[in-house]
Amino acid sequence: MSLTSIFFTFFFYISVLIFITGVSYKIVQYWQTPAPLKIPIAPAPLNRSGVLMRIAREVFLFQSLFKASKWTWIFGWSFHFALVLLFFRHLVYFWPGEIPTILLKTEPLKYAAYPLIFGLLGLLGRRFFVDRVRYISAPSDYLMLLLLIVIGGSGMLMTFAQNHPNMLLVKNFAEGLITFNWSELPSELLFLAHIFLVFLLIAIFPISKLLHAPGIFFSPTLNQVDNARKKRHISQWAKNKESHKKIDLEQNSDEDK
Amino acid sequence: MSENSIEKLPTYLEIPAIKKDSMAGNGPFKASVEVQNELGFPGEKVENWQQVAIDKMAETKSKYRSVQVFLDACVKCGACTDKCHYYLGTADPKNMPVARQDLFRSVYRRHFTFAGKYFPKLVGAKELDEAMLDDWYNYFHQCSQCRRCAVFCPYGIDTAEISMAAREVMNVIGVGQKYPNQILGKINKIGNNLGMPEPALRDTLEDLEEEIKEETGVAVKLPLDIKDSEVLMVTPSADFFAEPHIDGLIGYAKVFHQSGVSWTLSSYASEAANFGMFIGNYDVMRQGALRIRKAALDLNVKRVIVGECGHAWRVAYSFWNTLTGLGSGGNDEYSKKLQQQLDSNYPQPQHIIEFTYDLIQQDKLLFDKSKNDHRVVTFHDSCNVARGSNMGDIKNGQFILPREVIKAACNNFSDMPKGTIKASTFCCGGGGGLLTDDLIELRIKGAKPRMHALKQSEERNGVNTLAAICAICKSQFSKVLPNYEFDPYMIVSVHQLVSDAIILSDNSENSNNKAL
Ligand code: SF4
Ligand code: SF4
């Protein structure tokens, strides 16, 4: 195998490893950190199914963002939705062995690249032109968008500008990563740039704001049921206080009148 | 400030362009050594404050999932940037919710994240130095913890949680705010925020009884420390002395009188407000709540009802069950004891609005609505009630019930514009421990969005009365209404409206005045 192929093969596994360990670490951390108080935010659901609906509306429709800012919603939602479609579009490359027919029909999903770029450029534009958003943007916030724009742009150049790399090589390389049956990858620069940045994106996921993806499921303001009067909600560390606070309470009663 | 008052506005408040450092300053008065020590905090900034602060941050984020998740999840989308009344009123970019969080987040990133440790410039990670601490003190005391930003954030990031955490860290290094900490010292010693002892309270209540008798001819009682009453009423102590609060207290008394339900106030727990929440300290908040539990047990009541106070209701509704077991579902010793004693036919605790609303539903209260005909009333949803609690255990009950109570007592009701009420309500500008004269400029500017909405209602619908169910809102509005060319007396308690219209019957045998 060529050095490039070896490098990219390694890079893929390292990125995935960082992704899996990093994100698992974060999920475990969120999971284990107690939420000691009931802090659901209005309009708060009064039961479990209401919470599930709420999370679903936030995850699929970006409900709160819609309420907050229509422009950010249009840009953000089209980008995310397109990203999901493009993810499915790419599955066909990685699918080992017999490819299910459904995946063979994903060709038209490539057009999702347009709303993807549209959304990303919109979000970037906001960072430049809305003074409030410019104020809160760190260099990493611009870079993250640029990274995604270059990924999307390079993909579009390959797909829509007749710069296709050798698709058989792509397929073998991608499938090989999954089946540990490594093979050469095409050497077109556009393609290399594309996958380099994708692997980079996977690697920085757990150390960046991309943590909003697992984070949304753990947000106590969104995932708590508003039933504090009906059900006692208490964390372990708060419970530990109670056992020895009882004595304090007796002392408290002494000072009473 | 008065130029704000004559501004004419389009349908919604314009979002100002950022004006850097427009609210830079030293923040509110700092707590004295004694005040700090009283609460168990160091009296002065400790020697190795940076290290202590970082350790405290680590502890806080390991105890509060909200803090940990919120610090990681923000994508700087900017959706919250124009949602804070303090930003809208001051244009200082550090009053944008995300920028306020970033004061804390940048230090978190520097000390607790890979990217912040190795590439601080890239991700905006910063050291906790003197300048940063000054910013913390200044801008975390420009947040009323109203949670409006959380309604609009796609991840529900609640800046109030961050500002509570930051205030807790500051207290632990010995940099506390005078106003809330001084008050907390009083409640721990005497039982209410005013430091009003039992005899003074008793006198006040007796005076009020006389006043009501004179005015209505009916002997309406305001009982204190009566054992075995049906209801323990816990209300903000402002209800005992401040205007317009006191007329609300008279309203509660009249409602109880008509209901025939025996009730009592407690001199030991004569305060529903709980500033422990504002400083983000679980233990201090719990201490306040424990006083109420103790009063409920000692007085052997069947129900606990909370008066008109925004954050008190949030603490009571959302936190009491956690802090003290007052509620249902707990299985520790105290919870069980309370469940045995308290009447399970009612939610515990209840809000006075729920109590009055239930009576109205059962046709047990009669009103002469014409008594309020000189008023066109609008309702200010107080942020802690609106965004941190419920009433009536129905969806959005906290918006519905108070309006229904008002409508039962008044013929003319009109809501303020959409987007400024209910879940999106604008803070009065004085919540979260900011109701102090050393922050008056901030309070006036922060009230601006609410005042604009009110102005529109005045122009379009002739609104001349602003009703609220929060002691802080009432005090704050009394103070800032004139700055916007409103009558400072247009702010009333919801139960004042009830009080003015309720038809009293002379059923004094029902009221429990025997033990007085
Ligand atoms: S709305 Fe939420 S995610 Fe967006 S900038 Fe504000 S806090 Fe961050
Ligand atoms: S909680 Fe309220 S005061 Fe604090 S930042 Fe959010 S909107 Fe502003």
Side-chain angles (χ1 to χ4, degrees):
Chain A
M1 274 189 1
S2 72
L3 240 115
T4 342
S5 301
I6 294 173
F7 169 79
F8 274 94
T9 306
F10 262 109
F11 191 23
F12 174 78
Y13 289 117
I14 289 173
S15 305
V16 171
L17 197 73
I18 297 176
F19 178 87
I20 292 176
T21 33
V23 173
S24 323
Y25 170 79
K26 276 307 199 180
I27 288 181
V28 170
Q29 183 191 39
Y30 296 158
W31 190 277
Q32 287 183 339
T33 308
L37 294 166
K38 277 278 189 177
I39 57 166
I41 189 82
L46 302 173
N47 50 42
R48 202 70 234 161
S49 58
V51 165
L52 291 177
M53 291 298 294
R54 167 183 230 175
I55 300 268
R57 285 196 306 271
E58 290 298 346
V59 170
F60 295 114
L61 302 175
F62 299 8
Q63 173 181 248
S64 295
L65 187 58
F66 184 79
K67 271 189 282 183
S69 160
K70 301 290 179 280
W71 280 112
T72 316
W73 181 83
I74 289 170
F75 297 139
W77 193 81
S78 39
F79 155 59
H80 282 86
F81 188 62
L83 191 67
V84 173
L85 296 182
L86 290 167
F87 173 82
F88 284 112
R89 169 69 192 128
H90 284 73
L91 272 185
V92 68
Y93 301 123
F94 292 87
W95 200 272
E98 185 89 17
I99 295 168
T101 33
I102 177 106
L103 284 189
L104 291 172
K105 290 187 184 144
T106 54
E107 164 87 21
L109 291 185
K110 67 183 181 189
Y111 294 109
Y114 288 99
L116 179 101
I117 291 290
F118 161 80
L120 288 168
L121 289 176
L123 291 173
L124 190 66
R126 273 184 67 81
R127 288 210 188 281
F128 280 114
F129 299 119
V130 179
D131 63 344
R132 286 169 284 121
V133 187
R134 189 166 61 231
Y135 181 89
I136 58 169
S137 300
S140 56
D141 297 314
Y142 294 98
L143 286 177
M144 190 64 81
L145 286 170
L146 281 178
L147 179 69
L148 288 160
I149 288 169
V150 177
I151 290 173
S154 56
M156 285 176 87
L157 283 178
M158 286 188 279
T159 313
F160 301 113
Q162 306 306 328
N163 292 313
H164 291 286
N166 182 327
M167 293 317 278
L168 200 65
L169 284 183
V170 173
K171 168 77 186 149
N172 284 345
F173 173 72
E175 195 180 324
L177 292 174
I178 303 294
T179 56
F180 300 100
N181 186 10
W182 306 303
S183 70
E184 287 295 337
L185 83 175
S187 56
E188 281 87 349
L189 229 71
L190 259 183
F191 174 75
L192 294 183
H194 186 72
I195 64 169
F196 178 83
L197 295 177
V198 171
F199 295 174
L200 185 68
L201 187 71
I202 295 174
I204 60 174
F205 194 100
I207 54 165
S208 69
K209 65 176 181 178
L210 300 183
L211 285 172
H212 67 281
I216 189 168
F217 297 98
F218 289 95
S219 176
T221 45
L222 298 181
N223 74 10
Q224 287 185 341
V225 181
D226 182 12
N227 61 355
R229 284 194 291 195
K230 292 197 189 121
K231 202 165 159 224
R232 188 162 199 228
H233 170 95
I234 188 157
S235 66
Q236 196 49 52
W237 65 258
K239 217 171 200 153
N240 294 343
K241 273 175 202 293
E242 296 205 331
S243 42
H244 60 85
K245 260 281 153 62
K246 210 172 284 169
I247 305 151
D248 290 8
L249 195 71
E250 297 311 319
Q251 286 166 354
N252 237 350
S253 53
D254 289 342
E255 77 174 45
D256 180 25
K257 289 180 211 138
Chain B
M1 283 311 304
S2 57
E3 72 266 19
N4 288 329
S5 55
I6 31 177
E7 248 177 276
K8 293 275 178 291
L9 270 129
T11 36
Y12 56 86
L13 192 67
E14 218 160 302
I15 302 161
I18 62 173
K19 249 194 272 154
K20 279 191 191 162
D21 294 328
S22 62
M23 288 303 280
N26 300 327
F29 295 155
K30 295 208 166 102
S32 67
V33 179
E34 299 78 56
V35 166
Q36 283 293 91
N37 289 340
E38 190 101 28
L39 293 180
F41 298 129
E44 277 166 350
K45 190 153 88 177
V46 294
E47 191 95 19
N48 56 339
W49 62 274
Q50 274 151 316
Q51 195 49 50
V52 178
I54 300 301
D55 293 346
K56 186 68 196 175
M57 282 177 80
E59 186 197 321
T60 308
K61 76 182 190 65
S62 74
K63 282 165 113 179
Y64 290 85
R65 185 186 289 166
S66 52
V67 175
Q68 177 62 61
V69 171
F70 295 165
L71 287 175
D72 282 336
C74 173
V75 295
K76 313 291 171 77
C77 68
C80 61
T81 52
D82 56 352
K83 301 299 181 281
C84 177
H85 53 289
Y86 291 120
Y87 175 72
L88 294 174
T90 69
D92 189 318
K94 285 177 183 156
N95 277 330
M96 301 188 293
V98 45
R100 195 188 312 286
Q101 299 156 26
D102 272 351
L103 296 172
F104 200 76
R105 184 178 290 114
S106 55
V107 177
Y108 161 75
R109 286 197 169 154
R110 184 77 185 99
H111 286 268
F112 300 98
T113 68
F114 175 85
K117 274 181 196 156
Y118 301 103
F119 311 99
K121 285 257 160 57
L122 185 69
V123 296
K126 294 198 187 110
E127 204 40 80
L128 178 57
D129 51 19
E130 291 283 353
M132 179 62 86
L133 181 63
D134 289 346
D135 264 359
W136 276 26
Y137 190 77
N138 189 27
Y139 289 102
F140 284 119
H141 292 108
Q142 294 189 26
C143 169
S144 57
Q145 306 176 341
C146 76
R147 311 179 83 213
R148 188 169 194 266
C149 43
V151 171
F152 295 95
C153 171
Y155 316 106
I157 295 176
D158 179 1
T159 315
E161 291 289 305
I162 304 295
S163 89
M164 288 170 194
R167 291 186 192 178
E168 165 86 335
V169 171
M170 287 188 280
N171 268 323
V172 166
I173 61 172
V175 182
Q177 186 201 350
K178 178 177 167 195
Y179 171 68
N181 291 7
Q182 198 172 37
I183 279 174
L184 282 163
K186 284 186 208 153
I187 181 166
N188 284 343
K189 259 199 251 150
I190 301 166
N192 57 54
N193 285 357
L194 304 172
M196 184 191 242
E198 192 259 352
L201 181 57
R202 193 172 291 278
D203 280 353
T204 308
L205 296 177
E206 276 166 15
D207 287 351
L208 277 181
E209 286 177 352
E210 265 167 46
E211 204 180 289
I212 302 173
K213 175 96 199 192
E214 240 165 66
E215 211 172 284
T216 65
V218 181
V220 171
K221 295 292 164 196
L222 286 126
L224 183 66
D225 294 333
I226 309 289
K227 255 197 118 173
D228 303 324
S229 298
E230 173 88 7
V231 170
L232 167 64
M233 180 73 197
V234 191
T235 202
S237 58
D239 282 358
F240 299 130
F241 81 103
E243 283 291 348
H245 312 58
I246 203 159
D247 298 307
L249 176 65
I250 293 171
Y252 317 153
K254 288 183 181 171
V255 169
F256 280 120
H257 175 88
Q258 280 309 104
S259 72
V261 174
S262 67
W263 69 294
T264 185
L265 294 154
S266 156
S267 60
Y268 176 73
S270 44
E271 181 62 80
N274 192 328
F275 281 24
M277 181 176 94
F278 298 156
I279 63 167
N281 187 292
Y282 191 94
D283 294 325
V284 175
M285 185 162 76
R286 182 158 181 266
Q287 266 169 35
L290 285 180
R291 290 185 81 92
I292 291 156
R293 172 172 83 182
K294 182 169 160 39
L297 290 170
D298 287 350
L299 294 169
N300 193 33
V301 294
K302 296 268 169 264
R303 303 168 69 174
V304 181
I305 294 183
V306 180
E308 296 184 3
C309 179
H311 79 282
W313 180 237
R314 182 179 181 204
V315 174
Y317 174 87
S318 290
F319 304 160
W320 273 3
N321 201 1
T322 300
L323 298 169
T324 70
L326 205 164
S328 47
N331 53 7
D332 61 296
E333 208 181 319
Y334 271 104
S335 297
K336 282 195 211 139
K337 192 159 185 233
L338 284 160
Q339 281 161 32
Q340 258 169 27
Q341 183 191 314
L342 298 174
D343 187 342
S344 60
N345 290 319
Y346 302 97
Q348 306 285 355
Q350 263 190 313
H351 195 283
I352 185 68
I353 289 283
E354 291 182 300
F355 182 76
T356 304
Y357 175 79
D358 281 347
L359 292 170
I360 293 169
Q361 295 302 300
Q362 299 161 21
D363 286 328
K364 286 196 181 151
L365 299 181
L366 292 177
F367 294 100
D368 176 3
K369 288 182 166 193
S370 68
K371 287 274 167 51
N372 280 318
D373 274 354
H374 59 295
R375 295 185 159 120
V376 181
V377 183
T378 196
F379 179 63
H380 166 72
D381 291 279
S382 299
C383 23
N384 276 298
V385 176
R387 287 185 279 261
S389 81
N390 182 275
M391 286 181 193
D393 293 328
I394 51 171
K395 179 119 178 152
N396 291 330
Q398 74 273 33
F399 310 133
I400 300 165
L401 267 61
R403 286 175 171 76
E404 288 307 313
V405 169
I406 294 174
K407 285 181 199 160
C410 308
N411 281 317
N412 315 315
F413 176 81
S414 161
D415 255 322
M416 282 181 278
K418 216 170 149 253
T420 75
I421 52 170
K422 301 185 179 169
S424 308
T425 185
F426 276 115
C427 173
C428 63
L434 309 183
L435 190 75
T436 167
D437 282 344
D438 39 319
L439 288 173
I440 192 66
E441 188 195 347
L442 176 79
R443 285 169 52 191
I444 293 171
K445 289 180 174 169
K448 194 172 168 187
R450 170 46 78 226
M451 292 294 113
H452 278 289
L454 185 62
K455 193 62 100 190
Q456 281 176 284
S457 286
E458 183 190 60
E459 282 163 8
R460 290 183 201 159
N461 305 316
V463 162
N464 61 9
T465 303
L466 177 63
I469 47 172
C470 171
I472 289 177
C473 296
K474 293 171 202 170
S475 301
Q476 158 76 356
F477 283 137
S478 303
K479 186 98 177 186
V480 302
L481 278 167
N483 292 81
Y484 292 90
E485 292 186 332
F486 287 110
D487 174 7
Y489 299 106
M490 76 183 290
I491 170 74
V492 298
S493 302
V494 167
H495 272 82
Q496 175 176 348
L497 300 172
V498 170
S499 172
D500 287 357
I502 197 168
I503 301 172
L504 291 176
S505 50
D506 199 353
N507 54 346
S508 50
E509 68 276 11
N510 274 338
S511 56
N512 43 2
N513 57 346
K514 45 201 181 287
L516 277 173

